[in-house]
Structures are given as C-alpha cells and as structure tokens.
C-alpha cells in the first residue's frame, strides 16, 4: 500500500477540522506543517537537507506553533534544546524517510512490530476491506509505510490472548477503535477503512484526541506518540 501524498493529508486535515472542533487547533497547525513538508519534499534527497530546511521550519513554527514550541523556536540557540529539537528534526525526517520509503521496494516478510523500511514503531493501525472483515496493518510513525499485522496480536508485547486485548469504540468516532493490551497496558488507535474509506490513518488519528484522553484515564499508554507528542 503506497503512502498518501502530503496534499491528500492536508486536504483530509481540513475536512476533519470542520468535523471535529475539539481537534481544530491541532489540525490547523498540522496543515501548516504538512504544507511545509510538501514544499520540502523535492529537496529531501539532497545532502544537507535537514540543515538547509531547519531555519525555515523554526521560523514557521515561531510564527504559528503552540506556545511551548513558539517559545523554543524564538530562543537563541534552539538547536541544542529538547524536546522542540526532536519535533523539528522529526518533521524533516518524515519528509526524507517518507520519500525514500515510497520510492523503495520494501520486503514485508514476516510479521514484525516495527517498520520494515525504517524500523520505527507504528503511530496507528488500519483495517482495510478484505473479504468478510478487514485486514489489519500498522502505519509507521516516521515514513508512513504500512505493513500487514495479525489482528489479534499486541504490537508492543506480542500478547495474543483475545481476552487480554479489549477493543473500545466511542460513538463520536465510529470508525476509530482503541485497541488495548491488558498485559503491557499499551494502546494503539485503529482506523477502520471498511467504515470510512476517506480516512487517512496518520491524519484521522490526530483528530481523535478525545480517545487518547479516555485511554490515558483508563491507565493505558500510547504505543508511539504522534508528531506532536500526543
Ligand atoms: Zn518507517
Ligand atoms: Zn501488550
């Protein structure tokens, strides 16, 4: 499955912004970041890419980011400060690795819980239409490669007893499930494309912040935070 383009992610985020006001602020910021990522893509395979795009990214975030990032972006010598630097670097690495992954042949091989291209962990799960039910995949948090993964298997600890893998849904997001594991107390959001074929997992995941708040209240920890650390 080829990853979505930056343009389709931007368009999807704009749709979700009007549908889910609770996530509007995050989605508006995401659209600006994704536009920057889209514009950066043609340069992404050149040497010195990160260094060359970093000042423009920091300037952009300094104008439109959330308060903590604005403060970091406007501080002299921000390059050496965490965690803002981790965010800036990841924005650019998503472009670089995402482009490389989309233009590589990736051997999917055996079931694995990290990305077969870049070895990062999944930011969301996805269910795609297949036969009677759905085929489960995981989506990389860095390069957005999607790979197949067994339905009843915890992507963190490998638990496969269905009684320890409860799934929760909320009426507000009929196509997004919270897949939890009671053995390791991790969870991942799963975007069900059999119910909503317009969804883009890594974008729709951002809109469903209320589900994260619910999961954290129930003492689950997200398997991998998204680009915004949520
Ligand atoms: Zn990856
Ligand atoms: Zn587990």
């Amino acid at each position: 499955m080829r990853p979505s383009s930056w343009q389709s992610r931007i368009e999807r985020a704009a749709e979700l912004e009007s549908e889910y006001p609770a996530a509007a602020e995050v989605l508006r910021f995401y659209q600006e970041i994704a536009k920057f990522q889209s514009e950066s893509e043609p340069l992404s395979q050149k040497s010195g890419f990160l260094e060359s795009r970093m000042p423009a990214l920091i300037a952009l975030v300094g104008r439109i980011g959330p308060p903590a990032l604005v403060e970091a972006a406007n501080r002299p010598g921000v390059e050496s400060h965490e965690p803002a630097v981790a965010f800036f670097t990841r924005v650019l690495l998503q472009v670089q690795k995402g482009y490389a992954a989309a233009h590589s042949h990736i051997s999917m091989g055996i079931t694995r819980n990290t990305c077969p291209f870049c070895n990062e962990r999944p930011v969301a799960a996805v269910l795609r239409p297949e036969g009677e039910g759905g085929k489960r995949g995981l989506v990389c948090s860095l390069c957005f490669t999607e790979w197949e993964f067994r339905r009843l298997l915890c992507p963190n600890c490998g638990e496969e007893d269905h009684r320890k893998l409860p799934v929760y849904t909320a009426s507000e997001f009929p196509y997004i499930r919270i897949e939890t594991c009671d053995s390791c107390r991790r969870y991942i959001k799963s975007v069900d494309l059999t119910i909503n074929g317009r969804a883009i997992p890594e974008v729709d995941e951002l809109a469903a912040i209320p589900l994260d708040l619910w999961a954290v209240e129930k003492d689950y920890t997200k398997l991998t935070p998204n680009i915004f650390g949520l």
Side-chain angles (χ1 to χ4, degrees):
M1 188 52 60
R2 285 282 164 207
S4 306
S5 66
W6 290 110
Q7 194 51 43
S8 57
R9 290 182 188 121
I10 293 164
E11 286 164 15
R12 181 63 185 155
E15 277 176 26
L16 289 166
E17 185 191 328
S18 51
E19 256 174 86
Y20 296 106
E25 210 172 303
V26 169
L27 289 164
R28 266 197 299 276
F29 182 46
Y30 173 75
Q31 287 169 68
E32 294 300 324
I33 294 297
K35 264 179 220 157
F36 182 87
Q37 290 176 307
S38 172
E39 288 159 13
S40 302
E41 193 174 59
L43 307 164
S44 66
Q45 305 307 301
K46 297 214 160 71
S47 67
F49 166 68
L50 262 64
E51 295 75 15
S52 71
R53 294 298 285 161
M54 191 61 88
L57 174 60
I58 292 176
L60 172 70
V61 172
R63 286 198 306 277
I64 57 135
L69 284 173
V70 168
E71 194 270 323
N74 290 312
R75 197 188 318 133
V78 61
E79 285 81 358
S80 58
H81 288 274
E82 292 285 335
V85 174
F87 169 75
F88 295 134
T89 305
R90 206 158 174 88
V91 166
L92 294 171
L93 281 178
Q94 281 189 338
V95 181
Q96 192 177 53
K97 299 283 182 191
Y99 183 92
H103 293 82
S104 303
H105 172 76
I106 303 168
S107 166
M108 295 298 170
I110 48 158
T111 286
R112 43 181 297 162
N113 62 358
T114 56
C115 172
F117 181 71
C118 73
N119 222 27
E120 288 273 327
R121 291 163 34 117
V123 72
V126 58
L127 288 172
R128 290 192 178 274
E130 188 189 60
E132 293 289 293
K135 187 172 69 172
R136 189 187 190 204
L138 299 176
V139 178
C140 178
S141 59
L142 188 63
C143 76
F144 306 112
T145 293
E146 183 183 320
W147 69 98
E148 263 189 73
F149 199 74
R150 268 173 45 200
R151 276 193 85 143
L152 287 172
L153 181 63
C154 169
N156 184 55
C157 73
E159 179 62 71
E160 46 190 356
D161 180 347
H162 69 95
R163 288 164 301 184
K164 293 182 177 159
L165 299 169
V167 171
Y168 300 94
T169 52
S171 55
E172 199 185 350
F173 297 95
Y175 64 101
I176 301 184
R177 303 147 33 115
I178 303 234
E179 298 179 342
T180 66
C181 173
D182 284 339
S183 291
C184 67
R185 305 300 296 180
R186 294 295 179 121
Y187 77 93
I188 190 165
K189 279 186 275 186
S190 175
V191 178
D192 191 339
L193 300 181
T194 69
I195 299 175
N196 185 344
R198 295 185 60 75
I200 298 178
E202 63 270 26
V203 184
D204 286 66
E205 188 277 317
L206 287 171
I209 293 170
L211 300 184
D212 293 290
L213 301 178
W214 179 88
V216 168
E217 242 171 56
K218 296 280 178 260
D219 204 26
Y220 291 108
T221 304
K222 200 173 188 182
L223 182 64
T224 316
N226 59 39
I227 184 82
F228 300 124
L230 302 170

